[in-house]
Amino acid sequence: GAVVSQHPSRVICKSGTSVKIECRSLDFQATTMFWYRQFPKQSLMLMATSNEGSKATYEQGVEKDKFLINHASLTLSTLTVTSAHPEDSSFYICSATDLIYGYTFGSGTRLTVV
Amino acid sequence: SQQGEEDPQALSIQEGENATMNCSYKTSINNLQWYRQNSGRGLVHLILIRSNEREKHSGRLRVTLDTSKKSSSLLITASRAADTASYFCATYPSGSARQLTFGSGTQLTVLP
């Protein structure tokens, strides 16, 4: 089956620094990737939709200058949280989709900003 | 944004009992999917039901869909302690880009 690798699984960073999260589709080409954010005991909230080679589409209320998304190839999308602050601490999950496998989710990244 | 609500928010049952979770949504859909999430982990796809289907089975899982009421239910029969997790429904709306929207989730605890 399809596998999406998300890295790192956990990261702790200092306030004001930037953190990059990678999402890779390992055995299929993902035309579209999605980034979600999940606060404790809450549901997944879509942050942005990323298509290979084009600019990401951000959901309302998500700062595109703060959450930089790059989808440079059909197997890799990155989310960079710039100038992170404690309120950015959350669980970030990516998802990749193609016509055969549908949606496949990464294992998530726990970001803690101290 | 969230498509809809799930109830109950939390459910605690004994091993061997059945667990039923409900999901309501707001817009027309192409399909509805159920996912499972263990604490602090990614999502695992459980089952997909299309808008023209009313019921689907997979092992101990039974999903129903009522598009007139915009609701779905997930039944887990003969539950096990290992079924303890959060369960989310997710809808794939008609006519949209390929964007899943998640419900609020049900936290299921199965007591041994």
Side-chain angles (χ1 to χ4, degrees), chain A residues 31-32 34 36 38 41-46 49 51 59 91 93 97-99 103-108 110, chain B residues 1-2 6 33 35 37 39-45 88-89 92 97-105 107:
Chain A
T31 51
T32 306
F34 303 90
Y36 294 85
Q38 184 181 33
K41 299 189 185 302
Q42 294 189 25
S43 186
L44 281 73
M45 302 299 291
L46 181 66
T49 302
N51 291 297
E59 294 298 298
F91 192 60
I93 305 177
T97 182
D98 79 336
L99 294 176
Y103 293 84
T104 306
F105 286 83
S107 54
R110 172 75 58 196
Chain B
S1 61
Q2 283 179 219
E6 288 181 58
Q33 305 175 34
Y35 288 84
Q37 183 183 36
S39 180
R41 306 294 294 275
L43 273 73
V44 175
H45 181 264
F88 295 93
C89 66
Y92 185 99
R98 291 174 289 171
Q99 176 178 312
L100 281 181
T101 306
F102 285 83
S104 52
Q107 171 61 50

